[in-house]
Amino acid sequence: MKTIGLIGGLSWESTSEYYRIINTAVKNKLGGLHSAKCLIHSFNFEEIADMQRTGKWKEATESMVEAAVKLEQAGAEVIIICTNTMHKMAKEVQEAVSVPLIHIAESTASAIKQQGIKKVALLGTAFTMEQPFYKDILSKHGIETIIPNEADRQMVHSVIFDELCQGRFLEESRVKYQELILKLEAEGAEGVILGCTEIPLLIKQEHSSLPLLDTTYLHAMTAVEYAMDLEYYSA
């Protein structure tokens, strides 16, 4: 079993989900007392969030690269960034290490294609929804992406940072997300990417008439597949 290096704390609420999913999957496959071999670099998210807010992407990239290098030096044989937004600098992170970096958008695109979906709605932070780094990868796979209007993007972003990253899961926010999903369905979306690793803590499949792509789960399971040399794994 390969050692998985997790760049986490972005926020820790979703990092804990990564840890749970990965270890549960390994236990389900191998049984007994088996668990995953993991190393975690956990950021103080306030520091990273401040870089995001103020546009200090160069400094943020340097921090992410440093984390990846430390994980490789500590023995990580594959690395995952436990957030969608910070895949903005995935290329720079991969270039800094010799071990594979599993890209969350690639894991998501694979699942979308398996379901035969051609047009998806993308929910996430404003950075993920508005900037091209995520949508470009989906486009490469022939997947059309739509995003909410400006007011709805701000609502989604605010719920993430003001509530979900702080461990607050409000029914009123769940309803807002559900109403938004219905709007996006009316615009032609065939599925919805939960493109922030905290969103699946609020919205589950039973809350949506459209298929939901849980990027946290998909990304974590891809890491398990790689670590265990599996072509396909289903918990």
Side-chain angles (χ1 to χ4, degrees), residues 1 4 20-31 34-36 107 110-111 114 217-235:
M1 187 191 307
I4 303 170
R20 181 188 64 79
I21 293 166
I22 288 170
N23 281 288
T24 299
V26 171
K27 180 180 179 181
N28 287 347
K29 180 62 178 178
L30 300 179
H34 285 286
S35 57
S107 299
S110 177
Q114 286 177 14
Y217 179 82
L218 295 171
H219 198 206
M221 292 304 298
T222 305
V224 170
E225 292 169 4
Y226 183 86
M228 299 183 71
D229 292 321
L230 300 175
E231 293 185 3
Y232 176 75
Y233 179 83
S234 179

Side-chain angles (χ1 to χ4, degrees), residues 2-221:
K2 297 180 180 68
T3 299
I4 303 170
L6 296 88
I7 301 179
L10 302 162
S11 68
W12 72 262
E13 296 283 349
S14 59
T15 303
S16 65
E17 280 295 289
Y18 270 91
Y19 190 71
R20 181 188 64 79
I21 293 166
I22 288 170
N23 281 288
T24 299
V26 171
K27 180 180 179 181
N28 287 347
K29 180 62 178 178
L30 300 179
L33 299 176
H34 285 286
S35 57
K37 295 180 180 179
C38 294
L39 295 167
I40 302 176
H41 180 104
S42 189
F43 281 101
N44 174 1
F45 188 41
E46 179 60 37
E47 296 173 357
I48 299 296
D50 182 67
M51 293 178 191
Q52 295 175 346
R53 285 192 297 266
T54 57
K56 295 180 179 178
W57 293 107
K58 180 177 182 293
E59 291 84 348
T61 299
E62 291 170 351
S63 295
M64 296 293 289
V65 165
E66 180 182 5
V69 170
K70 286 181 177 178
L71 286 170
E72 182 178 24
Q73 291 174 341
E77 297 167 273
V78 60
I79 292 174
I80 56 174
I81 301 171
C82 301
T83 174
N84 286 269
T85 298
M86 299 307 277
H87 280 76
K88 176 180 172 68
M89 60 280 298
K91 180 176 181 289
E92 291 85 349
V93 173
Q94 179 62 90
E95 289 174 348
V97 296
S98 60
V99 299
L101 173 74
I102 296 175
H103 200 297
I104 196 167
E106 292 285 357
S107 299
T108 304
S110 177
I112 291 170
K113 291 195 294 184
Q114 286 177 14
Q115 295 189 39
I117 295 171
K118 300 295 185 182
K119 187 174 183 178
V120 293
L122 174 61
L123 302 183
T125 66
F127 314 112
T128 299
M129 291 186 286
E130 295 170 3
Q131 297 182 24
F133 66 91
Y134 204 96
K135 292 176 284 188
D136 282 353
I137 289 180
L138 299 178
S139 178
K140 182 185 71 174
H141 289 278
I143 300 164
E144 182 183 353
T145 306
I146 60 174
I147 61 173
N149 63 39
E150 185 175 358
D152 287 333
R153 293 198 303 271
Q154 184 55 50
M155 179 274 293
V156 172
H157 183 91
S158 296
V159 168
I160 291 168
F161 280 93
D162 298 339
E163 299 173 22
L164 307 184
C165 288
Q166 299 182 41
R168 299 172 62 222
F169 310 105
L170 307 181
E171 180 61 28
E172 62 192 71
S173 295
R174 180 180 293 113
V175 171
K176 289 178 182 177
Y177 272 47
Q178 288 177 291
E179 292 172 346
L180 175 55
I181 289 171
L182 290 174
K183 288 172 63 175
L184 294 166
E185 182 175 12
E187 294 176 21
E190 301 168 1
V192 180
I193 299 173
L194 304 183
C196 169
T197 52
E198 281 78 31
I199 295 178
L201 298 171
L202 179 70
I203 295 289
K204 310 293 184 184
Q205 186 59 63
E206 61 262 29
H207 301 133
S208 171
S209 57
L210 287 178
L212 299 182
L213 287 304
D214 179 343
T215 57
T216 307
Y217 179 82
L218 295 171
H219 198 206
M221 292 304 298

